[in-house]
Amino acid sequence: MYQRQRKILDMLQRGKVVIREAACELGVTEMTLRRDLKSLEERKLILLVKGGAILHPARYEPESPESIDKMDRKFAIANALYDEIFPADSIFISAGTTSLAFAKVIARRNTLPVTIITNSLPVASTLFRSCCKVILLGGELRTNYLDLVGSIAEKNLAEYQVDWLVSGCDAALSDYGFYTSDVSVSNLEKKSLEIASKAAIIADSSKFGKRALTRFATLNEIDLLVTDSKLQPRDVENLKNTNIKLLQIDAETESIVTRE
């Protein structure tokens, strides 16, 4: 990537880049700037809009140096899930940071038509201008997260049938099931299990060995678990006694180290 293109991405952190103003600031012609923007759009780093450009919703930027390791794990998990279940015709993607990472992987990698149903505003935004048909559920916007829950969302969800449910979790016990800390989210997750032919949980190993407020899925309701290679041996052993297919991913190499 040219130094000028890196400068453009830095400028986009402040908001929309207007071609005429940015060309003047960078000391290049508008034609040169348009070529740079076109190159960045082809790599799905930006979106061209009228008169300029904005950052692409699927662009991944760790929020802080401390979060890099954890986000690398989430994206390694998301990529492994993509390899495991694609191509697929229809998927429900729930809210959460690992689910959002999966949506970003789809936006970058998928080239085939697929219907995505979600209650997450960030997931829907990420898939803007992708190959996906996106259906956003109605419902009540939570006060602390950008996702929709409640009776309207549950009623809307009941109208559909999908090949896969993809969900994260707030906590998990390898001998009992998967948890969330919000009752409204739990209710919607339970409904999503009813409309899915298969269900996948994507969660890094830090979620295991903990309980949260409410369990939304038992072990026998989940077909696939994708996590990282730091999962404790006792948890691996417990999961071997279930029908869950377990994939453990090395975050550095994004290779599968366990397939059970």
Side-chain angles (χ1 to χ4, degrees):
M1 184 183 298
Y2 298 122
Q3 184 175 359
R4 186 174 61 247
Q5 292 179 353
R6 295 186 183 278
K7 175 65 174 176
I8 292 169
L9 293 176
D10 290 339
M11 294 165 66
L12 282 163
Q13 296 291 339
R14 304 194 298 265
K16 176 182 174 180
V17 162
V18 177
I19 289 176
R20 182 177 299 176
E21 296 173 359
C24 182
E25 182 175 342
L26 293 168
V28 297
T29 65
E30 291 185 21
M31 183 65 71
T32 296
L33 180 58
R34 289 180 188 277
R35 283 198 295 268
D36 285 337
L37 293 176
K38 183 64 175 176
S39 175
L40 292 170
E41 185 183 48
E42 289 173 353
R43 282 175 279 175
K44 294 190 176 180
L45 295 174
I46 69 166
L47 286 176
L48 291 176
V49 296
K50 185 176 180 180
I54 59 173
L55 284 175
H56 196 291
R59 186 170 181 243
Y60 162 49
E61 285 289 345
E63 295 180 0
S64 66
E66 292 78 15
S67 69
I68 292 176
D69 176 65
K70 195 167 186 178
M71 290 307 300
D72 282 348
R73 277 186 281 163
K74 290 180 185 294
F75 274 84
I77 289 167
N79 274 298
L81 177 64
Y82 181 92
D83 291 336
E84 187 69 20
I85 73 171
F86 266 74
D89 291 327
S90 55
I91 305 172
F92 178 81
I93 303 179
S94 67
T97 54
T98 313
S99 296
L100 179 57
F102 179 58
K104 292 183 177 184
V105 168
I106 294 174
R108 289 179 175 180
R109 295 182 57 185
N110 182 56
T111 58
L112 299 173
V114 56
T115 299
I116 303 294
I117 304 171
T118 186
N119 66 315
S120 167
L121 299 181
V123 166
S125 174
T126 291
L127 295 170
F128 177 61
R129 286 192 180 177
S130 70
C131 295
C132 303
K133 176 181 180 181
V134 180
I135 299 173
L136 182 63
L137 298 181
E140 177 186 345
L141 184 65
R142 286 207 287 167
T143 57
N144 52 343
Y145 294 99
L146 289 172
D147 55 274
L148 302 165
V149 294
S151 59
I152 295 175
E154 293 168 25
K155 182 178 180 180
N156 288 348
L157 187 58
E159 299 294 322
Y160 301 102
Q161 182 70 31
V162 295
D163 296 334
W164 280 95
L165 159 67
V166 173
S167 178
C169 64
D170 292 330
L173 293 177
S174 59
D175 59 352
Y176 196 64
F178 302 91
Y179 293 80
T180 178
S181 56
D182 188 295
V183 173
S184 295
V185 172
S186 180
N187 290 338
L188 190 66
E189 294 280 14
K190 290 174 182 177
K191 291 291 184 181
S192 66
L193 283 165
E194 295 175 5
I195 69 156
S197 298
K198 294 184 178 180
I201 297 289
I202 46 177
D204 64 77
S205 58
S206 68
K207 301 293 178 66
F208 281 80
K210 304 174 183 177
R211 291 180 186 268
L213 180 63
T214 174
R215 183 179 69 166
F216 67 86
T218 63
L219 296 172
N220 61 14
E221 290 178 299
I222 302 303
D223 300 280
L224 173 66
L225 169 64
V226 188
T227 186
D228 60 70
S229 57
K230 296 181 181 181
L231 192 65
Q232 294 296 315
R234 65 178 179 275
D235 292 320
V236 174
E237 192 62 32
N238 285 340
L239 291 166
K240 284 181 180 179
N241 296 322
T242 71
N243 292 322
I244 296 175
K245 183 175 184 178
L246 172 64
L247 298 183
Q248 285 184 269
I249 312 302
D250 185 304
E252 292 186 3
T253 64
E254 293 198 2
S255 60
I256 296 174
V257 297
T258 300
R259 184 190 291 269
E260 298 289 350

